[in-house]
């Protein structure tokens, strides 16, 4: 029997959060920002369809770990080394399915926030662009969920730290915090994580899928930078402090708290030992640091690399990216 399309109020897969923010009409339709209009034109022109532009006939072996063994951070971890080869493959599959699941949940967060921006932003060019981003994010949810259900056959719930960050962005009533949280931080980090995956996997469908998603994400980050340009320059110090605190706590959360302890629980590894192993892994340290190669220079462009934020970023080991060039990074990935 087909399942009902309308969820019941007690559906465990349904969660409600209360949101409150001002919705703005803008009665001035002219375009004060030619850069945003150009980005919107590009967004309309570059729409793709995950159903027809990706080759879903490609067979993906759900037993294939998809990432090279050489970057396995659990090498040398005693409870992992004690497992037989089959169990070890299962652990490596879990890491990929966990990561792709978090990408999917993050995309749902982006879908919700982009739709909120359509209402909340007080300028028309940004409303139009946010509408196009909402459609982009719908496609991203569609392709990641299809890949997970049809090809990987293993999904994980949203990680509690990622969920806390998404909740904070979705529930904040200030439109600039939505941009700062989603377009600058989450999407900036996602671009770097996608780039890693794209480079490391040899599975063609996943590679193509991620490339299409990245084409959109690089525009979304640019949307955030263009929309917030000059906004923080005139902000009173007390209000700016909120943004500084938000940036530092979000970066700390995303740097050290997204390492998949849920997979450790699943295989009966001790959480603490697993966490220590993941945090000490040189390859993961490199990846976790590289995640910030777009976020940090974009924060500098927005005037948010204040002395306080610089000090905290120095402590986190990510200040080194302050003069990195996100446009050059995109061009190197063929996304310009
Ligand atoms: Fe997305
Ligand atoms: Fe996005």
């Amino acid at each position: 029997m087909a399942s009902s399309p309308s969820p019941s109020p007690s559906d465990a897969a349904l969660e409600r959060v209360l949101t409150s923010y001002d919705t703005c009409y803008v009665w001035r339709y002219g375009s004060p920002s030619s850069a945003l209009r150009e980005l919107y034109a590009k967004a309309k022109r570059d729409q793709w369809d995950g159903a027809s532009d990706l080759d879903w006939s490609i067979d993906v072996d759900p037993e294939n770990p998809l990432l090279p063994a050489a970057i396995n951070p659990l090498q040398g971890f005693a409870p992992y080394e004690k497992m037989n080869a089959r169990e070890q493959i299962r652990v490596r599959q879990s890491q990929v399915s966990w990561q792709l699941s978090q990408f999917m949940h993050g995309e749902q967060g982006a879908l919700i926030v982009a739709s909120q921006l359509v209402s909340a932003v007080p300028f028309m060019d940004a409303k139009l662009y946010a509408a196009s981003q909402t459609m982009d994010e719908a496609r991203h949810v569609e392709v990641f969920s299809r890949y997970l259900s049809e090809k990987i056959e293993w999904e994980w719930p949203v990680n509690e730290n990622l969920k806390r960050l998404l909740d904070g962005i979705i529930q904040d009533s200030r439109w600039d915090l939505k941009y700062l949280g989603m377009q600058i931080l989450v999407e900036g980090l996602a671009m770097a994580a996608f780039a890693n995956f794209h480079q490391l996997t040899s599975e063609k469908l996943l590679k193509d899928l991620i490339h299409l998603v990245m084409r959109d994400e690089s525009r979304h980050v640019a949307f955030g930078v263009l929309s917030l340009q000059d906004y923080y320059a005139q902000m009173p110090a007390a209000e700016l402090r909120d943004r500084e605190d938000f940036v530092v706590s979000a970066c700390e959360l995303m740097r050290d708290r997204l390492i998949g302890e849920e997979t450790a629980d699943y295989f009966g590894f001790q959480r603490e030992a697993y966490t220590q192993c993941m945090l000490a892994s040189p390859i993961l340290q490199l990846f976790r640091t590289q995640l910030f190669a777009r976020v940090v220079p974009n924060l500098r462009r927005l005037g948010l690399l204040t002395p306080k934020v610089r000090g905290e970023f120095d402590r986190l080991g990510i200040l080194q990216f302050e003069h990195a060039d996100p446009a050059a990074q995109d061009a190197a990935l063929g996304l310009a």
Side-chain angles (χ1 to χ4, degrees):
M1 197 175 79
S3 61
S4 162
S6 40
S8 75
S10 60
D11 188 338
L14 198 63
E15 180 183 342
R16 291 180 173 82
V17 292
L18 190 62
T19 59
S20 170
Y21 54 89
D22 287 346
T23 291
C24 291
Y25 285 108
V26 179
W27 301 122
R28 190 186 317 108
Y29 293 90
S31 178
S33 169
S34 61
L36 267 183
R37 279 290 163 116
E38 272 168 36
L39 202 62
Y40 172 60
K42 197 163 185 292
K44 286 189 294 177
R45 200 178 57 229
D46 291 352
Q47 298 267 317
W48 45 272
D49 180 353
S52 55
D53 292 338
L54 289 168
D55 182 1
W56 293 97
S57 71
I58 290 175
D59 262 335
V60 180
D61 176 3
E63 308 258 294
N64 179 348
L66 296 179
L67 293 179
I71 60 149
N72 175 13
L74 291 177
Q75 258 169 1
F77 180 53
Y80 172 79
E81 296 295 350
K82 271 192 244 153
M83 294 175 135
N84 65 36
R86 197 158 171 76
E87 289 168 333
Q88 289 186 344
I89 285 183
R90 191 78 180 138
V91 171
R92 290 178 52 218
Q93 289 164 348
S94 76
Q95 292 176 333
V96 171
S97 63
W98 181 85
Q99 184 65 68
L100 292 176
S101 298
Q102 303 319 312
F103 287 165
M104 173 177 70
H105 300 310
E107 295 293 358
Q108 182 180 178
L111 173 67
I112 292 171
V113 174
S115 72
Q116 290 184 327
L117 284 175
V118 174
S119 305
V121 286
F123 37 109
M124 185 52 75
D125 293 322
K127 285 185 185 297
L128 300 185
Y129 188 83
S132 77
Q133 180 174 341
T134 305
M135 184 59 220
D136 292 347
E137 305 300 0
R139 284 198 305 269
H140 302 174
V141 172
E142 172 200 336
V143 294
F144 276 116
S145 64
R146 182 168 176 186
Y147 190 83
L148 276 162
S149 66
E150 286 185 17
K151 306 297 181 183
I152 304 273
E153 300 169 13
W154 196 353
E155 270 182 40
W156 294 82
V158 66
N159 172 270
E160 62 181 329
N161 293 311
L162 175 61
K163 173 69 166 38
R164 199 185 322 155
L165 180 60
L166 295 176
D167 278 354
I169 299 167
I170 287 167
Q171 293 189 284
D172 203 293
S173 61
R174 297 162 292 188
W175 62 266
D176 74 289
L177 252 300
K178 294 185 186 294
Y179 270 116
L180 189 57
M182 184 52 69
Q183 269 77 3
I184 305 298
L185 291 173
V186 176
E187 298 189 302
L189 294 170
M191 271 299 282
F194 291 156
N196 269 340
F197 242 85
H198 183 262
Q199 195 187 356
L200 291 170
T201 188
S202 51
E203 200 286 284
K204 186 177 181 317
L205 174 56
L206 183 58
K207 223 178 173 60
D208 291 349
L209 182 161
I210 288 178
H211 188 78
L212 284 178
V213 172
M214 285 171 75
R215 265 178 30 192
D216 296 341
E217 297 301 350
S218 79
R219 278 197 316 270
H220 301 169
V221 176
F223 173 45
V225 173
L226 283 172
S227 303
L228 293 178
Q229 228 160 30
D230 306 326
Y231 187 71
Y232 294 122
Q234 322 123 41
M235 186 170 273
E239 285 180 46
L240 201 60
R241 208 152 32 237
D242 270 3
R243 277 70 180 174
E244 292 175 320
D245 292 344
F246 172 74
V247 162
V248 170
S249 68
C251 286
E252 195 153 27
L253 202 62
M254 293 298 100
R255 185 182 179 281
D256 293 335
R257 306 291 294 279
L258 263 186
I259 51 176
E261 290 104 330
E262 304 93 311
T263 61
D265 297 344
Y266 181 89
F267 289 102
F269 299 150
Q270 267 196 336
R271 259 197 187 210
E272 201 174 319
Y274 171 88
T275 302
Q276 266 172 17
C277 169
M278 296 296 268
L279 291 178
S281 153
I283 188 82
L284 279 199
Q285 280 179 359
L286 183 67
F287 285 166
R288 293 206 322 275
T289 304
Q290 281 174 343
L291 282 180
F292 294 88
R294 282 181 171 74
V295 171
V296 178
N298 283 332
L299 289 171
R300 186 177 63 82
R301 289 167 72 185
L302 297 178
L304 283 176
L305 219 49
T306 59
K308 180 181 176 178
V309 173
R310 289 176 63 89
E312 296 291 336
F313 279 10
D314 197 22
R315 179 177 62 79
L316 291 171
I318 57 176
L319 187 59
Q320 56 181 300
F321 297 116
E322 64 177 317
H323 298 297
D325 182 352
Q329 293 168 31
D330 285 358
L333 293 164
L335 301 170

